[in-house]
Amino acid sequence: MSAARSSAVPAPDQGGTPLVALRGVAKLFANGTQALADLDLAIGRHEFVSLLGPSGCGKSTALRLIAGLTRVSRGRIEWPQGEGLGDIGFVFQEPTLMPWASVFDNVRLPLRLQGKSRAAVAGEVEAALAMVGLSGFAGAYPRELSGGMKMRVSIARALVTRPKLLLMDEPFAALDEITRFKLNNDLLQLWQQQRWTVVFVTHSVYESVYLSTRVVVMAARPGRVVAEIPVDAPYPREEAFRTSVTYNGFCRDASALLHRAMGE
Amino acid sequence: MSAVLEADRKPPDLVPPPDREVELERWIRWLAPLTLAILAIGAWDLVVRMNEIPPYILPGPALVLQSLIKDWPTLWPSLLVTLRITAMALAAAIFGGVGLAVLFSLSRWIELSLFPFAVILQVTPIVAVAPLILIYVDNTNLALLTCAWIVAFFPILSNTTLGLNSADHNLRDLFQLYRASRWQQLTLLRMPAAMPYFLGGLRIAGGLSLIGAIVAEFAAGTAGTGSGLAYRILEAGYRLNIPRMFAALILISLTGIVIFLAFTLLQHLVLRRWHESAVKREP
């Protein structure tokens, strides 16, 4: 299985210096809930890592910790290769667009917050929109778009700073299946072209296996990693992969581990 | 199999909803209240004529209109005086209300210490406070302005405060992720998010500033330099010139309506592209 890896795909260097590493990270919320206990997780460059687990296993919290949106209670988060402004892109479960701003202005936001003028970034914004297939929608307002298109805008906004690391928190959970599959494929294609690293939170076994180079299975109360499954299947993965024996084998494994993690 | 059948069947021709209904509703929107107003005025006229009520008790509508035209040279400058107080009070209310709301959003401390006093200002009836203000503030115009401002600023303050705190949590996280300054958070996130709330407050405050101005003029009464509309009403009352009282009253109402419509239009224009309240929906 480890054979034919497409040349288009950058080889994930999981073994080398990680891009970001969580070392013995624990997170205790003010109300006493222990979201994470002793989490060890290293993300290599060019990896596509899925955090898979039941709700309450702290997978979203792990993402927020990496993004610096909340502080660790214990342990530390390391960036061996350094971390700069705009190195992280974040995609939320909801599109989280500013309803009062056009698609262009929504995508421009991260660059605007860096103090760059509208004229200076027009090209970058257009490029990001083209990347997600939304050229020609720059002037539209979020409420005029479908759910899938809004999510595309959200992804374009996360990519506009050319981040090294893309954090995605169940981004497609609210979409219908056809749209989700389409976005899965488009995301994979972009990832193959652009060589960023992805940490993808999901509760769908099928989605995690389809997308990832590695699936990290987590358990709840307290949140912790219970297993890691390297998904050793070649890219590009397309619709045919969804029905392949390989894919189903990985899904079965992940599913079994997930059920064990949930104590069933 | 059924899928094939479904695909073969031609969809029924869709008929767009008849425009007549839409058209009709548009007319009814204007016609219904207009008809009612005409009927009411007709009834008023009839009652006055049939019972031969003298004009110093209840003038007929024709007499009121006549008085409005005849007294226009007196009423028009008074209207301008009242309008000036109203506009200045509203401007001050917007300035104070928004400014204070922004301060509140920047500092919880300031909000906790000042908000109760804003509430006290709001709940104390202006009619009761106006005489005091007129005593302590030498300049009558300034006193009138203060009264109108007290009434008008609270809706703007409370609505804008609510709006500034209503920005989406994920968007706030996003701003934090990109290390936005407080100023950027305020101008790019909190203020736009507060806009619908602010405009709602503005619509209320517009009417209230007129009410505040009129109440203050009443309280100032003939003692003031007064030449606003409320003063004209008082004056006409003393002289038993009831038709002029009505004429002045009509002017006040019309002013209130115009203010309300203007701010409704403003709200619509600002929000129509994005806010649920202003977006047109298919019936």
Side-chain angles (χ1 to χ4, degrees), chain A residues 64 67-69 83 85 88 90 92 94 96-100 109-110 112-113 139 141 143-144 157 161, chain B residues 168 170-171 173-180 184-185 188-190 192-193 272-276 279-280:
Chain A
R64 291 174 56 82
L69 293 176
E83 185 223 349
L85 185 58
I88 299 177
F90 204 112
F92 299 89
E94 292 85 30
T96 313
L97 303 176
M98 301 179 291
W100 55 83
L109 179 71
R112 189 177 189 181
L113 292 177
Y141 278 72
R143 60 159 287 111
E144 297 160 5
R157 179 181 59 196
T161 57
Chain B
D168 183 272
N170 284 338
L171 272 173
D173 280 348
L174 199 75
F175 273 66
Q176 194 191 331
L177 179 74
Y178 293 113
R179 292 170 211 167
Q184 285 174 322
Q185 280 194 35
L188 297 180
L189 178 60
R190 283 159 160 259
R272 69 189 159 152
R273 281 306 290 270
W274 66 276
H275 200 255
E276 292 299 331
V279 170
K280 262 202 187 137

Side-chain angles (χ1 to χ4, degrees), chain A residues 3-11 192 233-237:
Chain A
R5 199 181 273 284
S6 164
S7 59
V9 185
Q192 285 169 239
Y235 294 88
R237 296 174 184 170

Side-chain angles (χ1 to χ4, degrees), chain A residues 210-225:
Chain A
Y210 185 74
L211 295 170
S212 322
T213 54
R214 183 160 57 113
V215 175
V216 175
V217 182
M218 296 179 70
R221 276 171 286 276
R224 63 201 185 275
V225 173

